[in-house]
Amino acid sequence: MGDDSEWMKLPTDEKVQHKVWKARLAGYEEACKLFSSITDEKSPEFNKYAGLMKKFVTDTNAFAQEKGLDAVMAFIENANVAGRVCQDVLQGVITKCFNSSKQKTKEKAMEVFMLYIEAEKQDIVQVSTTISNRFYL
């Protein structure tokens, strides 16, 4: 428990990068709440996390990875800078999430894809959803 008390005191941006998976999981949960609560899509708070988004989706712990995907979805929905990290995030989703043995991880990964498509090309979301349901899930 001594180890827990150390990382629990850290700020969210340090928790999400911590070596202990429980710290990262807690950090992802905090980040998800933070991203959802920020009302200004151009908030500098988003810039602090932009470079970490790929790590959120490629976490080595399955439980933490799912929470990381939740945080990434909140980031995409609320941050103006989400498009800047699109390539890195989707590359991570393809390599780590679609190969997951957990169905929930695959579903969340597809949702991340759909959010990016919706942000750029809203008219192709329906077609992409149909295709993804047949081939990926």
Side-chain angles (χ1 to χ4, degrees):
M1 277 297 183
D3 191 45
D4 283 356
S5 64
E6 291 299 316
W7 61 257
M8 291 176 92
K9 297 173 187 173
L10 295 173
T12 303
D13 61 321
E14 290 183 29
K15 284 182 189 173
V16 299
Q17 300 177 73
H18 202 276
K19 64 181 179 180
V20 176
W21 73 268
K22 288 180 183 179
R24 293 192 309 274
L25 183 120
Y28 297 151
E29 289 173 338
E30 290 174 17
C32 187
K33 289 177 188 170
L34 174 67
F35 300 154
S36 297
S37 69
I38 297 174
T39 56
D40 180 11
E41 67 180 17
K42 295 180 180 181
S43 170
E45 196 68 22
F46 289 122
N47 291 325
K48 188 181 350 179
Y49 292 91
L52 302 173
M53 289 295 108
K54 184 175 181 178
K55 291 182 180 186
F56 282 33
V57 300
T58 59
D59 199 292
T60 55
N61 180 277
F63 297 111
Q65 183 183 39
E66 279 192 23
K67 293 298 180 184
L69 285 163
D70 290 337
V72 169
M73 286 186 270
F75 184 84
I76 296 167
E77 291 171 343
N78 296 294
N80 189 43
V81 296
R84 277 197 334 217
V85 296
C86 177
Q87 184 175 353
D88 288 339
V89 170
L90 294 183
Q91 191 174 43
V93 166
I94 290 168
T95 58
K96 289 285 283 188
C97 300
F98 285 147
N99 294 330
S100 174
S101 59
K102 294 182 75 175
Q103 184 64 25
K104 191 75 170 169
T105 300
K106 291 178 186 179
E107 291 169 5
K108 288 181 180 190
M110 186 51 64
E111 196 169 335
V112 167
F113 255 85
M114 293 297 108
L115 285 171
Y116 268 121
I117 291 171
E118 187 176 338
E120 298 297 322
K121 302 285 183 189
Q122 295 178 2
D123 55 333
I124 63 172
V125 171
Q126 185 60 40
V127 174
S128 299
T129 303
T130 303
I131 291 170
S132 67
N133 286 339
R134 290 186 183 169
F135 296 107
Y136 296 112
L137 301 176

